[in-house]
Amino acid sequence: MSVEWFDLGQRLRAASTGRVVARLVHAALTTTPHPVACRAHRAGDRISVVAATPGTPAATATGPDALDLLGGLGVTLAASSPATLVTDDPGTLPLLCALARSVPPDSPRDTVAGHIAWWADRADFPGGRAVVDASTGCRTRWVTGTTPTG
């Protein structure tokens, strides 16, 4: 059976039952010891970040203060275990990289910028724990009965 036929069968099943259908038996998303949920957006020339870790409320900061926010959440090369970026927005990591590139050398924010660079370096590694795209993980795990889109 081809992948296309299998995918069609799953989508037809989801459409006929009106429920999502599991594509995989096991979760495609791995557990991480230090997840940091984050979303960044640009308004003009300012980059704002909303971020949180388990047990902490979401906080928002803009510009260099956003790097301080992330550093306070453990996004730093000095941490005992590396933080994992968890996002549902593909534009977040490029915006975080833009913030990281704005850090002058030998700045107190160097370790945060370095950790963001580490995320960018490892973002494409399949099954890695550096960056988790929640939307992609959910699409891998479940199938809906709707028309497939890009």
mmCIF file of all heavy atoms in Angstrom, residues 79-98:
data_model
loop_
_atom_site.group_PDB
_atom_site.id
_atom_site.type_symbol
_atom_site.label_atom_id
_atom_site.label_comp_id
_atom_site.label_asym_id
_atom_site.label_seq_id
_atom_site.Cartn_x
_atom_site.Cartn_y
_atom_site.Cartn_z
ATOM 1 N N ALA A 79 23.341 27.073 31.648
ATOM 2 C CA ALA A 79 22.406 26.191 32.341
ATOM 3 C C ALA A 79 22.959 24.774 32.433
ATOM 4 O O ALA A 79 23.735 24.339 31.584
ATOM 5 C CB ALA A 79 21.061 26.175 31.624
ATOM 6 N N SER A 80 22.531 24.054 33.450
ATOM 7 C CA SER A 80 23.002 22.676 33.632
ATOM 8 C C SER A 80 22.440 21.736 32.565
ATOM 9 O O SER A 80 23.080 20.753 32.201
ATOM 10 C CB SER A 80 22.637 22.172 35.026
ATOM 11 O OG SER A 80 21.240 22.232 35.211
ATOM 12 N N SER A 81 21.232 22.005 32.073
ATOM 13 C CA SER A 81 20.683 21.239 30.954
ATOM 14 C C SER A 81 20.120 22.226 29.936
ATOM 15 O O SER A 81 19.545 23.244 30.310
ATOM 16 C CB SER A 81 19.593 20.273 31.420
ATOM 17 O OG SER A 81 18.452 20.970 31.846
ATOM 18 N N PRO A 82 20.306 21.926 28.649
ATOM 19 C CA PRO A 82 19.868 22.884 27.632
ATOM 20 C C PRO A 82 18.338 23.000 27.561
ATOM 21 O O PRO A 82 17.631 22.011 27.659
ATOM 22 C CB PRO A 82 20.432 22.319 26.331
ATOM 23 C CG PRO A 82 20.671 20.880 26.598
ATOM 24 C CD PRO A 82 20.932 20.742 28.061
ATOM 25 N N ALA A 83 17.878 24.217 27.406
ATOM 26 C CA ALA A 83 16.444 24.469 27.254
ATOM 27 C C ALA A 83 16.008 24.090 25.844
ATOM 28 O O ALA A 83 16.762 24.227 24.885
ATOM 29 C CB ALA A 83 16.144 25.938 27.514
ATOM 30 N N THR A 84 14.790 23.597 25.739
ATOM 31 C CA THR A 84 14.196 23.238 24.455
ATOM 32 C C THR A 84 13.181 24.296 24.075
ATOM 33 O O THR A 84 12.295 24.627 24.865
ATOM 34 C CB THR A 84 13.492 21.870 24.542
ATOM 35 O OG1 THR A 84 14.448 20.877 24.886
ATOM 36 C CG2 THR A 84 12.831 21.502 23.221
ATOM 37 N N LEU A 85 13.299 24.837 22.868
ATOM 38 C CA LEU A 85 12.320 25.788 22.355
ATOM 39 C C LEU A 85 11.095 25.013 21.898
ATOM 40 O O LEU A 85 11.200 24.119 21.055
ATOM 41 C CB LEU A 85 12.900 26.584 21.184
ATOM 42 C CG LEU A 85 11.925 27.470 20.414
ATOM 43 C CD1 LEU A 85 11.369 28.576 21.309
ATOM 44 C CD2 LEU A 85 12.591 28.052 19.191
ATOM 45 N N VAL A 86 9.935 25.348 22.440
ATOM 46 C CA VAL A 86 8.666 24.760 22.014
ATOM 47 C C VAL A 86 7.830 25.894 21.454
ATOM 48 O O VAL A 86 7.544 26.871 22.156
ATOM 49 C CB VAL A 86 7.928 24.081 23.188
ATOM 50 C CG1 VAL A 86 6.608 23.493 22.717
ATOM 51 C CG2 VAL A 86 8.801 23.017 23.823
ATOM 52 N N THR A 87 7.481 25.786 20.182
ATOM 53 C CA THR A 87 6.719 26.854 19.536
ATOM 54 C C THR A 87 5.734 26.264 18.544
ATOM 55 O O THR A 87 5.870 25.109 18.132
ATOM 56 C CB THR A 87 7.656 27.857 18.841
ATOM 57 O OG1 THR A 87 6.886 28.974 18.384
ATOM 58 C CG2 THR A 87 8.413 27.234 17.685
ATOM 59 N N ASP A 88 4.762 27.041 18.163
ATOM 60 C CA ASP A 88 3.811 26.629 17.133
ATOM 61 C C ASP A 88 3.871 27.577 15.941
ATOM 62 O O ASP A 88 3.014 27.543 15.083
ATOM 63 C CB ASP A 88 2.389 26.569 17.698
ATOM 64 C CG ASP A 88 1.878 27.930 18.150
ATOM 65 O OD1 ASP A 88 2.692 28.872 18.255
ATOM 66 O OD2 ASP A 88 0.676 28.057 18.402
ATOM 67 N N ASP A 89 4.895 28.411 15.923
ATOM 68 C CA ASP A 89 5.009 29.434 14.894
ATOM 69 C C ASP A 89 6.367 29.334 14.202
ATOM 70 O O ASP A 89 7.395 29.542 14.858
ATOM 71 C CB ASP A 89 4.837 30.808 15.547
ATOM 72 C CG ASP A 89 5.019 31.957 14.583
ATOM 73 O OD1 ASP A 89 4.676 31.793 13.398
ATOM 74 O OD2 ASP A 89 5.502 33.010 15.016
ATOM 75 N N PRO A 90 6.401 29.049 12.910
ATOM 76 C CA PRO A 90 7.687 28.920 12.230
ATOM 77 C C PRO A 90 8.482 30.220 12.147
ATOM 78 O O PRO A 90 9.678 30.204 11.888
ATOM 79 C CB PRO A 90 7.318 28.416 10.827
ATOM 80 C CG PRO A 90 5.885 28.761 10.644
ATOM 81 C CD PRO A 90 5.271 28.806 12.009
ATOM 82 N N GLY A 91 7.855 31.347 12.407
ATOM 83 C CA GLY A 91 8.563 32.624 12.367
ATOM 84 C C GLY A 91 9.275 32.974 13.657
ATOM 85 O O GLY A 91 10.064 33.924 13.704
ATOM 86 N N THR A 92 9.033 32.215 14.724
ATOM 87 C CA THR A 92 9.613 32.544 16.022
ATOM 88 C C THR A 92 11.129 32.413 16.034
ATOM 89 O O THR A 92 11.829 33.340 16.464
ATOM 90 C CB THR A 92 8.982 31.678 17.129
ATOM 91 O OG1 THR A 92 7.622 32.097 17.301
ATOM 92 C CG2 THR A 92 9.713 31.816 18.450
ATOM 93 N N LEU A 93 11.666 31.299 15.589
ATOM 94 C CA LEU A 93 13.117 31.102 15.663
ATOM 95 C C LEU A 93 13.887 32.128 14.838
ATOM 96 O O LEU A 93 14.876 32.685 15.340
ATOM 97 C CB LEU A 93 13.497 29.671 15.277
ATOM 98 C CG LEU A 93 14.964 29.310 15.460
ATOM 99 C CD1 LEU A 93 15.442 29.572 16.881
ATOM 100 C CD2 LEU A 93 15.192 27.854 15.082
ATOM 101 N N PRO A 94 13.485 32.459 13.610
ATOM 102 C CA PRO A 94 14.208 33.510 12.890
ATOM 103 C C PRO A 94 14.192 34.862 13.614
ATOM 104 O O PRO A 94 15.189 35.587 13.600
ATOM 105 C CB PRO A 94 13.485 33.598 11.538
ATOM 106 C CG PRO A 94 12.863 32.265 11.356
ATOM 107 C CD PRO A 94 12.503 31.797 12.737
ATOM 108 N N LEU A 95 13.090 35.190 14.256
ATOM 109 C CA LEU A 95 13.030 36.451 15.004
ATOM 110 C C LEU A 95 13.928 36.393 16.237
ATOM 111 O O LEU A 95 14.594 37.378 16.576
ATOM 112 C CB LEU A 95 11.592 36.775 15.395
ATOM 113 C CG LEU A 95 10.674 37.180 14.239
ATOM 114 C CD1 LEU A 95 9.230 37.322 14.712
ATOM 115 C CD2 LEU A 95 11.163 38.468 13.593
ATOM 116 N N LEU A 96 13.961 35.253 16.909
ATOM 117 C CA LEU A 96 14.873 35.108 18.045
ATOM 118 C C LEU A 96 16.323 35.222 17.592
ATOM 119 O O LEU A 96 17.156 35.816 18.292
ATOM 120 C CB LEU A 96 14.638 33.771 18.751
ATOM 121 C CG LEU A 96 13.309 33.625 19.493
ATOM 122 C CD1 LEU A 96 13.178 32.210 20.058
ATOM 123 C CD2 LEU A 96 13.161 34.667 20.582
ATOM 124 N N CYS A 97 16.627 34.671 16.428
ATOM 125 C CA CYS A 97 17.993 34.788 15.887
ATOM 126 C C CYS A 97 18.344 36.240 15.600
ATOM 127 O O CYS A 97 19.479 36.673 15.838
ATOM 128 C CB CYS A 97 18.147 33.936 14.629
ATOM 129 S SG CYS A 97 18.192 32.183 14.960
ATOM 130 N N ALA A 98 17.372 37.007 15.104
ATOM 131 C CA ALA A 98 17.618 38.432 14.859
ATOM 132 C C ALA A 98 17.929 39.151 16.173
ATOM 133 O O ALA A 98 18.836 39.989 16.223
ATOM 134 C CB ALA A 98 16.408 39.064 14.173
#
